[in-house]
Amino acid sequence: MALDLLLMLIIIGMVAGMLGALLGIGGGMLIVPAMTLVLGLTMQEAVAVSLVGIVATSSGATSHYVGVGLCNVRLAMVLEGVATLGSVMAATAAVLLDQSVLAAVFGLVMVYMAIYMVRRPERLSPPATVGGGHITGGYRDPVNGCLVEYQATHIGKGAVASFIAGNMSGLLGMGGGSVKVPVMNIIMGVPMRAAVGTSNLMVGVTALAGALVYYAGELIPAGIAAGVAVGVLLGSMTGARLSGKMDPRGLRTYFSLLLVAIGIMMLLKAVGVLS
Amino acid sequence: MSDDLMNRLLRYGTLISAATMALGLVLTIITGIDPGMVLSPTDLFIGLAAMNPEAVLSLGVLILIAIPLLRVISLGALFIKTQEWGFVLAVMMVLGALCLAITLGA
């Protein structure tokens, strides 16, 4: 492997890992297009590399989130059963699907995600009604030091959303955090910081399910995946430490513009305009 | 398993996988082999005995993707210890889906 290629892989991984940890997403939104548009990998190879990168994002950031009590492991495991199943089913389908179909679906999802990230509201207080069972949690706020206690409600709705997030992960190489975080926050009443911390644990397990399908099918290019993963580990550890100190809203707006541009390029690739 | 022990598992597991991948990447640059190679699990063990760069890289990736699996198993052990059987069932579901992933992929 050439040194310039290795540096490129590490930089792609670092950017994806840092943004992933800051925004509670896996970073696949950047890794998949970088692998297909810049390095010319097939969609299946790009998704496989991305899933390894997402596991790295999760491992790097979750050790921090568990340490400061922002990761609700009980809630994560309850939602993860269906998310993992969704990821396995979608990864199996992705191996069999046509390249252009996968690229087109990826492009459309990117544009939708960009619009959603800019518009998404944030729930600051718990929901008024409690339904469908609940799981409790608590943490000390890293900014003001106050103890925050909450009840995660509407577990059934959260499970349906987790299944959809699992589908996205296995099919498109995304973490699915862009679905899990807002659903935990808005529908289930989990505070945003705890939702991001819990999502970081969950995306690693969801991505693992997809990665196992690709690993067992001998579809993971190890050298490229390792280069990206090393970069992601460095980026996600830095991002997790910055998460308590900066407001991600401004970052989210700029990131959304980037996603629209990448989404359009993936659509152009799907119709054969870009190679 | 306490949060502290889980945290250490995550941290050391991640460090070991990162170090293994970094060693593999250095060997790959020195030998100039194709970074897009794919190894089967059987070739991995044969290659490791000969310290092939491909095998070292694959081992690093394998350790990395094993970390979430160990995390799920450790949570299962925690829930058995605290007799939270509903959460034990949730962990069993996750492990069942992961077994299905290997079967379908192969």
Side-chain angles (χ1 to χ4, degrees):
Chain A
M1 186 193 306
L3 191 59
D4 55 349
L5 173 62
L6 174 62
L7 286 175
M8 191 191 294
L9 293 172
I10 291 176
I11 290 168
I12 290 169
M14 278 187 76
V15 174
M18 190 178 293
L19 286 173
L22 278 172
L23 301 173
I25 58 175
M29 289 182 197
L30 287 180
I31 297 173
V32 172
M35 292 299 114
T36 52
L37 298 171
V38 181
L39 296 183
L41 298 192
T42 65
M43 273 300 286
Q44 279 91 351
E45 287 172 327
V47 168
V49 169
S50 177
L51 290 171
V52 173
I54 292 165
V55 172
T57 308
S58 171
S59 299
T62 304
S63 61
H64 169 78
Y65 285 119
V66 170
V68 295
L70 285 171
C71 180
N72 189 329
V73 293
R74 286 170 178 78
L75 177 60
M77 283 303 107
V78 167
L79 298 180
E80 203 42 54
V82 281
T84 310
L85 196 60
S87 177
V88 173
M89 288 167 64
T92 309
V95 172
L96 306 171
L97 275 175
D98 186 69
Q99 295 285 312
S100 55
V101 174
L102 275 177
V105 174
F106 191 94
L108 290 172
V109 171
M110 293 280 276
V111 174
Y112 172 77
M113 282 299 162
I115 297 166
Y116 187 79
M117 283 182 86
V118 173
R119 295 182 57 187
R120 87 176 186 195
E122 180 176 341
R123 179 187 285 279
L124 298 172
S125 58
T129 56
V130 174
H134 64 270
I135 295 169
T136 57
Y139 63 92
R140 198 162 288 282
D141 192 289
V143 176
N144 57 27
C146 294
L147 183 65
V148 180
E149 291 182 319
Y150 60 91
Q151 280 192 341
T153 61
H154 300 98
I155 305 295
K157 288 179 185 172
V160 172
S162 296
F163 184 77
I164 295 167
N167 284 165
M168 279 174 59
S169 179
L171 190 67
L172 304 174
M174 294 178 178
S178 47
V179 174
K180 290 168 183 166
V181 171
V183 166
M184 274 192 270
N185 179 242
I186 297 165
I187 297 174
M188 304 180 74
V190 178
M192 184 55 97
R193 286 188 194 284
V196 170
T198 304
S199 170
N200 259 299
L201 170 65
M202 288 177 65
V203 295
V205 182
T206 312
L208 164 67
L212 283 176
V213 174
Y214 289 97
Y215 184 79
E218 297 177 21
L219 285 167
I220 299 180
I224 294 170
V228 171
V230 168
V232 164
L233 283 169
L234 295 170
S236 64
M237 286 175 186
T238 312
R241 275 165 180 74
L242 289 174
S243 67
K245 296 170 187 162
M246 62 183 289
D247 181 0
R249 275 173 291 191
L251 181 65
R252 202 181 290 155
T253 305
Y254 292 114
F255 186 56
S256 300
L257 292 172
L258 178 66
L259 289 188
V260 170
I262 295 171
I264 291 168
M265 287 171 77
M266 290 299 283
L267 287 170
L268 291 174
K269 183 180 174 67
V271 296
V273 176
L274 284 178
S275 57
Chain B
M1 176 183 279
S2 66
D3 276 0
D4 183 49
L5 201 54
M6 182 174 163
N7 204 13
R8 270 186 283 171
L9 170 74
L10 284 171
R11 195 162 300 214
Y12 292 128
T14 307
L15 284 175
I16 291 167
S17 73
T20 310
M21 287 188 292
L23 173 66
L25 288 169
V26 170
L27 291 173
T28 309
I29 288 171
I30 293 168
T31 54
I33 61 162
D34 174 20
M37 77 287 170
V38 179
L39 275 191
S40 70
T42 319
D43 293 339
L44 171 66
F45 292 108
I46 297 167
L48 277 177
M51 272 298 280
N52 283 348
E54 305 99 307
V56 177
L57 277 172
S58 292
L59 178 67
V61 172
L62 198 60
I63 293 171
L64 182 69
I65 63 175
I67 295 169
L69 177 64
L70 288 174
R71 202 184 306 156
V72 173
I73 293 170
S74 67
L75 283 172
L78 167 73
F79 297 141
I80 288 171
K81 193 177 169 188
T82 54
Q83 299 189 340
E84 296 174 273
W85 303 115
F87 294 117
V88 173
L89 186 64
V91 169
M92 295 297 285
M93 270 187 71
V94 176
L95 292 176
L98 294 177
C99 290
L100 184 66
I102 296 170
T103 310
L104 289 174

